[in-house]
Amino acid sequence: MEKVHDKENFYKIYDWAGSDRSKLPWAHDEPTLFLRDIVAQRGKPGKALDIGCGAGTDSLYLAGEGWDVTSLDFMPAALEMTCARAAAAGLELTTIEADVTEWEPTDKFDLVLDHGLLHNMNPDRYPLYRERVMRAVADDGDFVILHWLKRTPDEPQSEIGPTRVSREDIQKFFAPELKERFFAVEEIGGLTKSVGASMAQGYYWFKRASSVEERGQDEVSSGVERAVRGK
Ligand SMILES: C[S@@+](CC[C@H](N)C(=O)[O-])C[C@H]1O[C@@H](n2cnc3c(N)ncnc32)[C@H](O)[C@@H]1O
């Protein structure tokens, strides 16, 4: 079964896309779900880490909102795209070329984002990934992840493409340190057969469990609830 999990495949995809980021299969122009809400809710800019930043759409959004952004990816081409787009927009950010499972975080971040990295990773690296995330998320920090969803226990894995994982298993993976605060699903159809014709993307907004207990769930804005219901 061919997977996109190894680094070689990312080299192939970035080589094929060249400087045209719209050719990347995961290209998106809008910030990932929940980011606008987190920016609005925090009120003032914080520090963000975008792991597996790709062409940098989320990094650019956050930098544009005044956040101090670190964009990490193991593909030089991804960081080149992110830097070129930031320069064109007159934005500053820090880039790190590293495999997240080999990187040593020296800082804490108010927001850590993973839009599509973990679900492309070989499971034997999961513990190393988890450890880095836990070290990077600040005590009252937010963690947002987009991960392909296993909708039913018997939903098969596609021939190629990201690993599908159930919502419960994602929650367990990040527990007890992180607690899910919001979850939304986006169903996507009309895909090629090799990725299974249809799939669902799970969007998760986690917080440090200690800060959720201290503050309670009630302070969540109605704007966030609308965003989730809208999906
Ligand atoms: C599906 S793409 C998503 C890109 C971007 N987050 C976005 O929203 O467009 C996954 C990205 O993670 C990067 N990546 C995958 N595994 C990685 C790893 N172990 N360490 C660092 N980057 C990784 C890939 O190079 C790729 O740019």
Side-chain angles (χ1 to χ4, degrees):
M1 182 190 280
E2 197 200 339
K3 307 288 292 175
V4 290
H5 290 149
D6 62 45
K7 203 171 174 179
E8 281 314 306
N9 279 316
F10 281 107
Y11 273 114
K12 282 185 204 152
I13 295 170
Y14 279 103
D15 279 352
W16 175 76
S19 58
D20 183 356
R21 73 175 180 89
S22 69
K23 287 168 85 175
L24 295 171
W26 49 80
H28 60 106
D29 293 324
E30 290 298 314
T32 297
L33 187 68
F34 301 136
L35 293 200
R36 290 187 201 279
D37 303 296
I38 288 169
V39 165
Q41 209 172 71
R42 286 204 170 252
K44 60 178 193 316
K47 280 170 80 82
L49 171 69
D50 185 1
I51 49 177
C53 64
T57 295
D58 290 318
S59 291
L60 263 75
Y61 164 69
L62 291 164
E65 293 294 328
W67 281 55
D68 176 358
V69 177
T70 299
S71 310
L72 181 148
D73 206 290
F74 65 8
M75 285 290 110
L79 297 173
E80 279 159 26
M81 281 185 193
T82 298
C83 285
R85 294 176 74 202
L91 298 171
E92 280 183 21
L93 40 76
T94 303
T95 55
I96 299 178
E97 185 186 326
D99 185 318
V100 68
T101 62
E102 290 162 9
W103 169 68
E104 298 300 332
T106 52
D107 233 339
K108 294 280 184 193
F109 298 87
D110 304 302
L111 167 63
V112 176
L113 167 70
D114 170 354
H115 176 128
L117 187 155
L118 179 65
H119 68 189
N120 281 305
M121 182 177 279
N122 278 318
D124 61 353
R125 313 291 288 174
Y126 286 178
L128 294 168
Y129 166 95
R130 188 184 184 288
E131 200 240 332
R132 268 58 181 190
V133 167
M134 293 310 161
R135 275 161 62 188
V137 178
D139 286 347
D140 67 341
D142 295 291
F143 174 63
V144 171
I145 181 165
L146 176 152
H147 198 294
W148 278 25
L149 184 69
K150 189 169 184 169
R151 291 167 282 193
T152 57
D154 54 1
E155 181 173 357
Q157 190 54 45
S158 46
E159 255 171 73
I160 60 163
T163 306
R164 299 170 193 224
V165 176
S166 71
R167 178 181 178 188
E168 291 69 29
D169 284 344
I170 293 285
Q171 289 170 338
K172 276 189 216 148
F173 181 72
F174 292 108
E177 295 94 329
L178 302 181
K179 194 167 175 181
E180 184 197 287
R181 197 170 188 206
F182 284 105
F183 171 72
V185 185
E186 184 179 20
E187 297 279 344
I188 298 183
L191 302 172
T192 60
K193 225 172 137 208
S194 54
V195 283
S198 88
M199 59 88 171
Q201 306 203 111
Y203 293 85
Y204 303 80
W205 174 357
F206 284 91
K207 281 206 81 86
R208 279 274 179 204
S210 50
S211 70
V212 173
E213 276 144 29
E214 273 163 30
R215 293 202 243 151
Q217 291 277 359
D218 296 345
E219 38 122 6
V220 173
S221 72
S222 59
V224 174
E225 287 172 346
R226 269 200 306 279
V228 175
R229 277 202 304 273
K231 278 282 165 192

